Amino acid sequence: MPLGITEEIIARQSPEAQAIIRLLLAEIAKLEARIKELEGGRKTPQNSSLPPSSVHPHAKPASPKRKSKKKRGGQPGHEKHERPLIPTEDCDDVKPIKPTECRRCGEKLSGSDPEPLRHQVWELPEIKPLVTEYQRHRLACPACGEMTCAELPCGVPQGQSGPRLMAFTALLMAYYRQSKRRTAEFLSTLLGQPCCPALTVKIENQVTAAVRPSYEALAAQLPAEEQLNIDETGTKQENDKAWLWTFVARMFTVFAVRPTREATALTTSWARRSTASSLAIGPRCTGIWAVCSGAGPI
């Protein structure tokens, strides 16, 4: 009997109390049976003494739908879906394959099929870094004897990382949000590019310096926009809590990290974070229609 209520305990009660207790016990038993049916007999921390740690915090609840009797995969008669073939002239390589003998009698075969069956295989190209060596000659002047060393051509970086490699490395860390260690491992393992976390930090700083003028130009353009959509979200900066502000203009978007999520952050100077101190959203933005989510009116 549930709840530790025995017949001896019930017998000591008055007839009216006995009737009420038996009615409640029957209702409890009915509800427990219903719960067990709905949960499929599976014990959970909510319906048993199992500890909460026995269930993954992100585990999806069991689907209440009954399992279908159909097999997995495509069902008979379903519409076929496949990747369309690209034109033959767009293929990097075409390999004609001809049978050499008849599959029935073994007679030698010759000729060509005007409409052969086409089978295309997609594959990743072999990824191998392009290494260019610049040999800077040092020559002595025949007149005065002074040694002169050739300068690197315009556009050649002083370091060992080319512009495309630097841009790709920054893309992995910024847009795809990979750590510096994972970025270095990806470049070394999959691209065959020697790299370490310290090199990714150096590349990050160089790319930041390269794109800063463009960033500051867009930031300075914000006060002249007719409409801005503004929002913020929590983030971290140097282990401190911060907020990432997003300013969406008609043709571009500007991101900025601020120490507060209050709307007053829009009227403070950017001089501490950036040289674009002209971006003081507020008094300079006369005539702007700013739509800000969650930070109050602007």
Side-chain angles (χ1 to χ4, degrees):
M1 188 162 291
L3 306 179
I5 302 176
T6 63
E7 287 292 341
E8 290 78 6
I9 297 176
I10 297 177
R12 292 198 296 265
Q13 312 302 320
S14 64
E16 293 82 1
Q18 292 183 26
I20 294 174
I21 293 174
R22 294 185 187 281
L23 180 63
L24 293 177
L25 291 177
E27 188 66 23
I28 292 173
K30 185 188 299 183
L31 293 175
E32 288 180 342
R34 178 58 177 166
I35 292 174
K36 186 175 181 180
E37 178 185 355
L38 292 175
E39 295 183 349
R42 183 174 61 89
K43 291 185 177 181
T44 65
Q46 287 74 28
N47 66 0
S48 67
S49 59
L50 289 176
S53 59
S54 62
V55 178
H56 194 280
H58 302 297
K60 295 182 179 179
S63 175
K65 296 182 180 179
R66 295 181 179 179
K67 291 185 177 181
S68 175
K69 296 182 179 180
K70 297 180 180 180
K71 295 182 179 179
R72 288 187 176 183
Q75 303 301 316
H78 79 286
E79 184 180 356
K80 186 177 181 180
H81 297 278
E82 60 182 357
R83 179 185 298 174
L85 298 176
I86 65 174
T88 302
E89 55 271 16
D90 293 344
C91 296
D92 298 288
D93 191 13
V94 178
K95 297 182 179 297
I97 305 175
K98 299 180 180 180
T100 58
E101 58 184 26
C102 177
R103 63 176 180 175
R104 175 182 294 179
C105 64
E107 182 70 19
K108 297 294 182 181
L109 299 177
S110 61
S112 298
D113 185 355
E115 296 183 0
L117 297 178
R118 300 170 61 203
H119 173 71
Q120 295 180 351
V121 178
W122 293 68
E123 179 60 289
L124 289 175
E126 180 184 2
I127 302 177
K128 184 179 179 181
L130 299 175
V131 181
T132 303
E133 178 177 305
Y134 296 89
Q135 298 180 349
R136 301 171 61 188
H137 288 253
R138 293 165 295 178
L139 302 178
C141 176
C144 65
E146 180 72 15
M147 296 292 296
T148 301
C149 183
E151 299 291 337
L152 288 173
C154 181
V156 176
Q158 296 291 332
Q160 294 181 315
S161 302
R164 286 197 298 269
L165 174 60
M166 295 174 64
F168 182 73
T169 303
L171 182 69
L172 289 176
M173 293 186 289
Y175 185 82
Y176 293 104
R177 307 186 67 179
Q178 296 300 308
S179 67
K180 294 171 176 58
R181 188 172 301 278
R182 285 189 176 183
T183 299
E185 183 179 355
F186 178 86
L187 294 175
S188 302
T189 305
L190 298 182
L191 303 186
Q193 169 65 44
C195 189
C196 65
L199 179 58
T200 63
V201 175
K202 180 180 179 181
I203 292 176
E204 181 183 46
N205 294 334
Q206 292 175 335
V207 173
T208 300
V211 301
R212 183 173 295 279
S214 299
Y215 173 82
E216 293 178 354
L218 293 177
Q221 177 63 25
L222 285 178
E225 293 295 312
E226 295 182 359
Q227 177 178 345
L228 286 177
N229 292 284
I230 306 172
D231 199 3
E232 44 71 30
T233 184
T235 185
K236 283 188 176 182
Q237 186 180 38
E238 298 178 354
N239 296 326
D240 293 331
K241 193 171 184 180
W243 280 264
L244 176 64
W245 284 84
T246 306
F247 303 86
V248 182
R250 182 173 178 271
M251 300 298 294
F252 61 91
T253 301
V254 173
F255 298 93
V257 178
R258 279 283 186 260
T260 177
R261 69 185 298 266
E262 298 178 358
T264 54
L266 307 181
T267 60
T268 58
S269 172
W270 283 41
R272 291 176 297 177
R273 300 284 181 183
S274 165
T275 57
S277 58
S278 60
L279 179 57
I281 305 297
R284 296 179 58 87
C285 299
T286 56
I288 259 191
W289 177 26
V291 181
C292 186
S293 171
I298 299 176

